[in-house]
Amino acid sequence: MAPGGARVEGTPMATTDPTATPTTFDLQGKVDRVEATMHESRDAAIALGSNLGNRLETLQGAVDALEDTPGVRVTALSAVYETDAVGGPADQPNYFNAVALLRTSLPPQDLLERANAVEDAFGRVRTVRWGSRTLDVDILSYEGVRSDDPQLTLPHPRAHERAFVLAPWQDADPQAEVPGHGPVAELLAALGGAEGQGVRLRADLQLRLPE
C-alpha cells in the first residue's frame, strides 16, 4: 500500500465510474438519439495516456467509463506501453499508453464530449502545454470521417508520427491504417520502431476488456 492508502500500480481493481457525477457531457440527454441510431454504429480508435497517480488504474477506469457510455462498446484493447515523456516541462514521470477500439453510434463531436468528460472526471487539468496529466483520451480515427475542425481534427493530426500511439494501435489492430497516411505498422517502422522512440511494452501489466 502506497503512502496515504493509495493503491500501488500493477494490480488494477474494480472501479466505480467517476463520470457518474455531473459533468459537462449531457449523457442522459443524448440517450434517445443514440438508441435511435444504433444501426449507424461505426468503428473508432481512442488513445489513452497517463503519467500522474496510479496510471494503470486510471487507464482501466477510462476504459470502464467508455464502456458504460450508451452507444459505445469497447471491442479491443492494446497492451500497456511505458513511454518517456517528451516535450513540455522537464523531469515529467513516464507515461502509460494504450489504445482502445470502439464500436459507437455517437457522432464524432458527441464522442469527443464524452472523452473530455472522462478526462475531467479523472482530474485532468489543462494548464501547461504538454504538461503532466492524470489522463488523456484522444480520438485517433472515426470510420468514414475526415475533419479539419480545430476542435476535432480526424484523423488525429499527429497520430502518424507518434510511436507511443502507433505501437499500441498496431497491437490492438494489426491491420489498422491512419487515413491519408497509410498502415500503422509501416508508419511505426518508418520511425524506427517503438523502442527506438522510447516506447516499451509492459508485459507485466494488463488492461481488462469490459464484459
Side-chain angles (χ1 to χ4, degrees):
M1 188 69 70
R7 184 174 175 80
V8 178
E9 293 184 17
T11 55
M13 58 181 287
T15 59
T16 58
D17 181 2
T19 63
T21 57
T23 68
T24 57
F25 181 75
D26 181 18
L27 184 59
Q28 188 59 44
K30 300 177 186 292
V31 170
D32 291 342
R33 177 154 58 92
V34 167
E35 291 180 345
T37 59
M38 281 300 291
H39 64 286
E40 299 176 0
S41 60
R42 301 186 187 185
D43 294 322
I46 303 290
L48 305 171
S50 173
N51 77 331
L52 289 178
N54 190 319
R55 298 167 292 175
L56 183 64
E57 187 172 303
T58 295
L59 295 188
Q60 184 66 60
V63 170
D64 294 342
L66 289 169
E67 176 69 16
D68 287 343
T69 305
V72 173
R73 175 61 56 86
V74 179
T75 59
L77 291 172
S78 72
V80 177
Y81 289 77
E82 186 166 10
T83 304
D84 299 335
V86 178
D91 301 323
Q92 289 190 58
N94 290 347
Y95 281 85
F96 280 179
N97 294 105
V99 164
L101 304 183
L102 311 180
R103 188 73 180 169
T104 182
S105 59
L106 289 179
Q109 190 62 42
D110 290 353
L111 185 60
L112 175 63
E113 289 183 32
R114 179 56 171 164
N116 289 340
V118 172
E119 289 182 340
D120 292 342
F122 281 90
R124 169 69 184 271
V125 177
R126 298 169 179 81
T127 55
V128 179
R129 182 174 173 82
W130 293 325
S132 297
R133 70 288 308 269
T134 53
L135 179 64
D136 259 340
V137 182
D138 291 329
I139 302 175
L140 301 176
S141 67
Y142 188 104
E143 181 184 349
V145 176
R146 301 285 291 271
S147 171
D148 293 325
D149 186 333
Q151 289 190 326
L152 180 58
T153 303
L154 292 171
H156 190 287
R158 292 173 295 280
H160 64 286
E161 57 191 26
R162 291 177 167 177
F164 64 83
V165 168
L166 297 171
W169 197 353
Q170 180 186 17
D171 187 69
D173 179 7
Q175 306 304 316
E177 295 194 9
V178 181
H181 295 281
V184 166
E186 294 181 9
L187 294 168
L188 181 59
L191 292 175
E195 291 193 5
Q197 297 293 316
V199 180
R200 300 169 294 280
L201 173 66
R202 288 294 302 267
D204 57 317
L205 304 178
Q206 186 175 7
L207 293 174
R208 181 186 67 255
L209 190 67
E211 296 181 357

